[in-house]
Amino acid sequence: MIRAHVLVCGGTGCTSSNSPAIAEAMEKELAAKGLADEIKVVRTGCFGLCALGPVMIVYPDGTFYSKVTVGDVPEIVEEHLLKGRPVTRLVYDEAADKDTHGVTSLSDTAFYKKQMRLALRNCGVINPEVIDEYIALDGYMALGKVLTEMKPVDVIQLMKDSGLRGRGGAGFPTGTKWDFAAKSVSDKKYVVCNADEGDPGAFMDRSILEGDPHAVIEAMAIAGYAIGADEGYIYVRAEYPIAIKRLEIAIAQAREYGLLGKDIFSTGFNFDIQLRFGAGAFVCGEETALLTSIEGKRGEPRPRPPFPAVKGLFGQPTIINNVETLANIPQIILKGAKWFNSIGTEKSKGTKVFALGGKITNTGLVEIPMGTTLREIIYDIGGGIPNGKKFKAAQTGGPSGGCIPASHLDTPIDYDSLISIGSMMGSGGLIVMDEDNCMVDIAKFFLEFTVDESCGKCTPCRIGTRKMLEILEKITSGNGEDGDIEKLEELAYSIKASALCGLGQTAPNPVLSTLRYFRDEYEAHVYEKRCPAGQCKALARITIDPEKCKGCTLCAKICPVGAISGTVKNPHVIDQSKCIKCGACMEKCKFGAISKA
């Protein structure tokens, strides 16, 4: 009889920190202690707190060990699994009750207790490479239900009633998309899963595929039944080797169990799935470019209409849903539209997964009900800004999104409220910035990304974004002129109105949102030749506070260009004409007398 489970994260983050060796060492140690029949080691998907990996959780008590090493394994086995005493030095800080020397349950920690894990429900819970574990948690029951109890039109109506909107960025109603494809007359239709996650810092879809691949496969089969398709493709980035491996295993197991292929559940319904690997082009996250790539051509968007639901893959009606959207569908089928509809806001139902990164204490993956405020995500779940710094902005939506300032921290997160404040949901990247970030430099970073990733098919995106980048480079290098900010705005609105695809049309968003909320920083760069955050090297000015300087001479000795002068025990000064702004003096000063502005 199994009396305890040891869950070891097998997501990309923890795997890169040696979690497979930890799981192997645990199995060997348990065998050596004669515990192999009592304690089971389970290799799971991502738990979410990626910065603390490798992560290990021991059930039934839910003890959360972080930053575990192979060398810690014998102690965990001896103390915790044999003697029942958790190894407190390895317990995640927040989970360790310092007053009682006990351990707080994982679900009661601040990081998890405000989350609602629907799309991530099985991540960190089951072994994604064992189909029986998915089935044990009602896996494939939704597929069985729709095939044996529901007509395709009923499935589509259920999706419409649930209010589920696409989680890939645009937020289009899923049921409506399915309805368009179902009504398109053709003897061949396709279901495509968009797993080409390209936003910088985003890894939501990767984690779902690594932790719960069968949920996506089951949902694709349900979608196939609803629209009359018998074939599906998952377009996944080749840079996701763990996700690809688990998808391959899951598809093979589903075929073996008769859950993919011919005559599923003896209902006469046929459906199978193939994988296609993307080469990492950002534009292939756009649905028509993705379809073109699956067809074996260069990934470029095509004009719409016709929309894919009418003329998609190989010219046939096609629905395209992203990974997170699909991961919600089996539960909606089983629990009903009313249940899903009760979560979230009036126009944005359910939950949203975010990849939380940047200047934040708890970096990782979070899933929150729609309507949760940015403040709750950053401070309650994310643990706030490290090192006592002030929150400055949060960037959502990746290169297509915008920057949200502190004045909007209490805005509920949903599709419409984010658009109203100049940002967008996007696929779920959420990057936090503090007072040290230069917002002009941030806008330049995202524009550099879109310039590099532009497919080049349409002139507004190919040339327009490059011209915008040139102006930003001019401003951040200290050569900005009167009128440059206005030119930026004019170009941005022109590109939004004329670019061919959604990626081009949204490329100027980071510039427009930073201009909207941080225009004073742009003006400081252009008119005062000053970077308020001190990040733009050409505009930075390093100075010594004579009140704090003790005249220790260390800064003068470390300066590589001899720009600092002064005598012992007297304040030193920096010759600005010689200073190269390397910051070496700041790092060495013991008195905090040197600063950059």
Side-chain angles (χ1 to χ4, degrees):
M1 181 178 177
I2 301 297
R3 67 174 172 84
H5 287 80
V6 178
L7 277 55
V8 181
C9 179
T12 291
C14 286
T15 296
S16 65
S17 300
N18 213 25
S19 70
I22 293 168
E24 190 178 338
M26 178 61 73
E27 286 173 332
K28 286 182 180 175
E29 189 69 17
L30 290 173
K33 298 286 185 184
L35 299 172
D37 294 332
E38 299 175 34
I39 299 167
K40 184 177 180 182
V41 178
V42 182
R43 295 163 173 81
T44 71
C46 180
F47 290 100
L49 265 170
C50 305
L52 298 177
V55 168
M56 175 189 290
I57 299 181
V58 178
Y59 284 109
D61 48 302
T63 301
F64 181 177
Y65 290 124
S66 62
K67 298 185 178 178
V68 179
T69 66
V70 171
D72 296 324
V73 169
E75 186 180 358
I76 293 172
V77 172
E78 180 69 24
E79 291 297 315
H80 189 162
L81 299 173
L82 264 179
K83 300 176 180 174
R85 300 186 299 223
V87 183
T88 51
R89 69 177 181 85
L90 295 173
V91 176
Y92 167 48
D93 273 354
E94 196 196 327
D97 189 330
K98 293 180 173 57
D99 294 330
T100 65
H101 302 288
V103 174
T104 302
S105 172
L106 181 65
S107 58
D108 291 330
T109 60
F111 183 76
Y112 287 103
K113 67 182 177 185
K114 282 203 170 182
Q115 292 195 49
M116 180 180 284
R117 292 167 75 90
L118 303 185
L120 298 174
R121 63 192 179 281
N122 289 331
C123 295
V125 176
I126 64 171
N127 183 338
E129 298 185 10
V130 179
I131 189 172
D132 291 339
E133 295 203 12
Y134 179 68
I135 291 173
L137 296 180
D138 297 338
Y140 290 103
M141 189 180 286
L143 178 60
K145 180 179 179 180
V146 301
L147 294 184
T148 58
E149 300 176 18
M150 300 173 73
K151 296 175 182 175
V153 67
D154 297 330
V155 179
I156 291 172
Q157 190 58 50
L158 181 61
M159 284 299 114
K160 285 183 175 179
D161 293 343
S162 74
L164 176 66
R165 296 170 65 173
R167 301 308 198 232
F172 193 79
T174 303
T176 303
K177 182 183 279 190
W178 288 16
D179 194 28
F180 287 152
K183 288 176 178 171
S184 295
V185 179
S186 176
D187 57 2
K188 184 71 179 179
K189 297 179 183 179
Y190 295 98
V191 175
V192 172
C193 170
N194 184 349
D196 193 58
E197 190 172 47
D199 289 1
F203 56 96
M204 301 77 58
D205 292 349
R206 185 193 74 201
S207 294
I208 293 172
L209 292 176
E210 289 177 352
D212 197 15
H214 285 287
V216 175
I217 292 169
E218 182 181 11
M220 289 180 70
I222 291 169
Y225 174 72
I227 69 163
D230 64 357
E231 191 171 1
Y233 286 87
I234 300 176
Y235 188 85
V236 57
R237 300 175 76 84
E239 298 99 318
Y240 287 177
I242 296 176
I244 289 172
K245 177 193 166 195
R246 290 181 182 159
L247 278 171
E248 288 173 337
I249 291 170
I251 290 171
Q253 290 176 340
R255 286 176 182 153
E256 184 185 344
Y257 276 51
L259 299 167
L260 284 179
K262 302 288 186 186
D263 195 23
I264 299 171
F265 283 112
S266 302
T267 59
F269 172 63
N270 306 324
F271 190 80
D272 211 340
I273 293 173
Q274 298 185 49
L275 297 182
R276 288 290 183 273
F277 305 143
F282 179 65
V283 73
C284 286
E286 197 279 336
E287 60 181 13
T288 60
L290 183 153
L291 296 178
T292 308
S293 179
I294 291 178
E295 291 170 354
K297 303 168 191 168
R298 177 174 174 172
E300 290 181 331
R302 35 194 204 218
R304 297 175 299 176
F307 290 96
V310 177
K311 187 177 181 181
L313 188 61
F314 302 116
Q316 303 297 332
T318 304
I319 56 167
I320 305 166
N321 291 124
N322 93 324
V323 172
E324 186 184 342
T325 309
L326 291 165
N328 279 290
I329 288 169
Q331 291 183 100
I332 294 174
I333 298 291
L334 291 178
K335 296 182 179 178
K338 194 173 179 182
W339 163 78
F340 191 77
N341 208 287
S342 68
I343 304 165
T345 63
E346 182 183 355
K347 294 182 178 177
S348 300
K349 304 300 183 184
T351 60
K352 182 72 193 80
V353 182
F354 286 100
L356 197 54
K359 307 285 185 64
I360 187 88
T361 301
N362 298 328
T363 300
L365 214 57
V366 302
E367 183 172 3
I368 45 97
M370 295 279 192
T372 303
T373 65
L374 194 57
R375 186 186 299 278
E376 289 175 286
I377 297 174
I378 293 172
Y379 288 98
D380 295 346
I381 299 173
I385 316 297
N387 305 318
K389 297 284 184 177
K390 289 181 184 173
F391 169 83
K392 187 170 194 177
Q395 209 276 351
T396 65
S400 301
C403 295
I404 304 169
S407 57
H408 288 299
L409 264 174
D410 293 311
T411 301
I413 300 294
D414 64 29
Y415 291 98
D416 304 296
S417 62
L418 286 180
I419 289 173
S420 72
I421 58 175
S423 188
M424 64 184 293
M425 188 79 78
S427 60
L430 201 164
I431 299 170
V432 180
M433 290 162 271
D434 70 11
E435 58 193 280
D436 292 336
N437 286 105
C438 168
M439 301 313 291
V440 185
D441 193 52
I442 290 292
K444 189 177 77 168
F445 167 80
F446 281 107
L447 208 55
E448 283 172 341
F449 180 85
T450 49
V451 166
D452 285 344
E453 293 292 335
S454 172
C455 75
K457 185 170 182 176
C458 75
T459 307
C461 182
R462 183 181 70 248
I463 297 177
T465 54
R466 185 165 293 280
K467 288 295 179 189
M468 287 182 69
L469 179 59
E470 287 173 3
I471 294 173
L472 284 174
E473 287 173 338
K474 185 179 166 189
I475 291 174
T476 54
S477 63
N479 297 310
E481 299 174 278
D482 188 20
D484 281 345
I485 297 174
E486 289 73 20
K487 283 180 194 170
L488 259 183
E489 281 182 308
E490 187 180 346
L491 269 170
Y493 286 116
S494 176
I495 293 167
K496 281 181 75 69
S498 56
L500 176 62
C501 75
L503 298 185
Q505 291 159 11
T506 55
N509 282 355
V511 173
L512 288 172
S513 72
T514 49
L515 276 170
R516 179 176 175 180
Y517 296 115
F518 302 96
R519 196 180 188 94
D520 57 325
E521 291 199 22
Y522 281 84
E523 291 172 344
H525 283 69
V526 172
Y527 299 113
E528 301 170 25
K529 306 301 176 194
R530 177 174 67 86
C531 173
Q535 293 300 310
C536 296
K537 197 171 178 182
L539 295 171
R541 181 182 174 87
I542 297 178
T543 56
I544 298 176
D545 183 344
E547 298 294 323
K548 295 181 180 177
C549 180
K550 305 296 182 187
C552 71
T553 74
L554 189 57
C555 57
K557 291 174 183 170
I558 200 73
C559 179
V561 293
I564 301 177
S565 59
T567 55
V568 177
K569 296 186 178 180
N570 288 306
H572 283 42
V573 293
I574 299 177
D575 183 341
Q576 297 297 331
S577 65
K578 292 181 179 178
C579 178
I580 59 172
K581 293 114 178 172
C582 66
C585 53
M586 292 174 61
E587 292 175 10
K588 290 292 179 184
C589 181
K590 301 173 183 175
F591 310 103
I594 307 177
S595 60
K596 184 165 66 174

